[in-house]
């Protein structure tokens, strides 16, 4: 269970992958495998949260890192590049680094 | 504090808004206002989580609803349409409905 909050202090990387519906399952499996074998061992990793679109055309990785600097360092790490190439062979990623600015809940827990 | 989990049972609407950097703050304010005045009162609303990209070119609303049917009903609701039009005047939305398929955490809480 990951948490989204304005005061979490994490940096959020949201990556929307555009994919052919017949490749969506393969892409999810690839992102899960990359998270478990590589990303979770990279300094600053907080969480990865993988979402499959109902229409089959997209996968989103909502990933939390300790800081924007940790994201930059991960993106520059040559060890992760072969994994990005595997993903790019079947999907078009659209990545951004974000700050949470507002949270509104029907039933707030804090 | 919103929670992301495979077993949450919520439907997730992720909307990536492409915006000119000079309009990013205005867009965030508009989405916050729409959430507070309209969305949180729509049946099935669970949470809205608004993210501003560090580079200024995007805003993401990560919104949770009780079900995909609640999202469809909200999108078809004529009361919300004027608010969508206001947003579209300054931003290009790219919306998808998603299911959480995988969560990995550095320090799991459950």
């Amino acid at each position: 269970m990951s948490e989204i909050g304005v005061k979490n202090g994490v940096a959020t990387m949201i990556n929307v992958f555009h994919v052919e519906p017949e490749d969506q399952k393969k892409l999810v499996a690839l992102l899960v495998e990359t998270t478990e074998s590589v990303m979770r061992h990279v300094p600053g990793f907080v969480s990865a949260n993988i979402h499959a679109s109902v229409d089959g055309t997209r996968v989103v990785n909502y990933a939390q890192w300790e800081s924007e600097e940790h994201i930059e360092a991960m993106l520059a790490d040559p060890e992760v590049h072969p994994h990005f190439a595997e993903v790019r062979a079947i999907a078009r990623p659209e990545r951004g680094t974000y700050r949470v600015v507002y949270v509104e809940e029907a039933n707030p827990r804090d």
Side-chain angles (χ1 to χ4, degrees), chain A:
Chain A
M1 206 67 101
S2 302
E3 291 181 351
I4 306 175
V6 176
K7 294 175 184 164
N8 264 9
V10 300
T12 306
M13 194 180 76
I14 301 174
N15 211 330
V16 181
F17 298 94
H18 301 263
V19 67
E20 294 298 324
E22 60 265 32
D23 288 329
Q24 192 193 40
K25 274 193 184 171
K26 191 177 166 190
L27 177 60
V28 167
L30 198 54
L31 293 172
V32 168
E33 198 274 329
T34 300
T35 301
E36 294 188 348
S37 65
V38 183
M39 291 300 175
R40 62 163 298 152
H41 308 290
V42 174
F45 174 85
V46 175
S47 80
N49 303 273
I50 297 174
H51 300 65
S53 78
V54 174
D55 70 3
T57 66
R58 292 189 187 95
V59 174
V60 168
N61 185 9
Y62 181 101
Q64 297 175 311
W65 291 80
E66 285 176 24
S67 71
E68 288 158 30
E69 290 72 25
H70 283 97
I71 293 175
E72 292 308 312
M74 175 274 291
L75 292 173
D77 184 345
E79 269 201 56
V80 310
H81 288 176
H83 298 276
F84 291 160
E86 273 189 289
V87 166
R88 282 209 185 88
I90 58 167
R92 182 171 60 81
E94 197 187 335
R95 186 182 64 223
T97 299
Y98 296 85
R99 294 171 189 145
V100 179
V101 290
Y102 173 80
V103 171
E104 175 75 25
E105 287 179 281
N107 299 299
R109 275 172 291 265
D110 61 354

